[in-house]
Amino acid sequence: MRAIRVASAALLTATALTLTAPPVSAAVAGEENITSFGFRVTPSAIAAGGQVTLSVDGCEHNARVTSGVFDDVTLPKGQKTATAKVFWDAKPGAMYEVTFTCGPESGTTDLTIVGGQSNPTHHPTPHHTRGVKAGVGGSSDGFDAHQIALGGALIAGVLGTAYYWTRRRTGQDGS
């Protein structure tokens, strides 16, 4: 009888660990960002009004960098870095998409705006914006098979454990 309990506990533990393990590939179809050239924004999180460094590696064309949080920047062929000043009215906590284009290829990365401004007395000037890269929130993002399976396994585990302990106690009471 003890062996059955140990085997059941081991099986339940192995199942829970398997379902909660991160997937081997975190990339979602259509969201791959592979280019023949390298690119980055440094730092990746900055306050409104701050300055970022835009870098490209291996681009054999003029590189163009666009975002809704700073003016467009062009890096001539052979130039690897440039700077851009983040707009003063960038929303703290927002994530903006930065697009690097080299010839026919494009790649994107994110730039997060952290709280506070470098110069709070500055009055923002009008500029052309492309908008914020905002998510859909946690409640309407769609269904993820791993989350559904994990939730189902947890519910089944709780119900199975409750049933086991309920049946075990009624058997001991002699009822």
Side-chain angles (χ1 to χ4, degrees):
M1 189 70 159
R2 177 166 158 66
I4 292 174
R5 278 189 258 159
V6 171
S8 296
L11 183 61
L12 184 60
T13 302
T15 302
L17 289 175
T18 301
L19 292 174
T20 59
V24 175
S25 173
V28 177
E31 291 187 12
E32 293 183 8
N33 202 12
I34 300 172
T35 61
S36 64
F37 66 98
F39 56 90
R40 68 189 162 282
V41 176
T42 309
S44 60
I46 193 162
Q51 186 168 311
V52 293
T53 301
L54 310 167
S55 305
V56 293
D57 297 313
C59 181
E60 299 299 323
H61 305 278
N62 289 341
R64 181 177 164 100
V65 185
T66 58
S67 179
V69 74
F70 54 78
D71 290 325
D72 294 355
V73 175
T74 300
L75 284 83
K77 181 179 175 180
Q79 184 177 335
K80 294 187 174 201
T81 62
T83 58
K85 188 168 184 163
V86 175
F87 295 140
W88 288 102
D89 60 348
K91 308 280 187 263
M95 186 181 305
Y96 290 85
E97 188 173 85
V98 180
T99 303
F100 289 81
T101 304
C102 175
E105 292 183 273
S106 290
T108 61
T109 189
D110 293 327
L111 177 62
T112 304
I113 307 302
V114 295
Q117 292 182 338
S118 301
N119 183 359
T121 61
H122 176 78
H123 299 289
T125 57
H127 51 77
H128 176 41
T129 61
R130 289 186 190 85
V132 175
K133 177 184 176 188
V136 293
S139 63
S140 63
D141 194 21
F143 295 106
D144 180 78
H146 290 284
Q147 291 174 342
I148 293 171
L150 177 60
L154 290 174
I155 291 170
V158 168
L159 292 175
T161 302
Y163 178 77
Y164 171 77
W165 285 107
T166 303
R167 297 298 298 160
R168 185 167 183 246
R169 286 195 178 170
T170 57
Q172 288 178 350
D173 293 340
S175 306

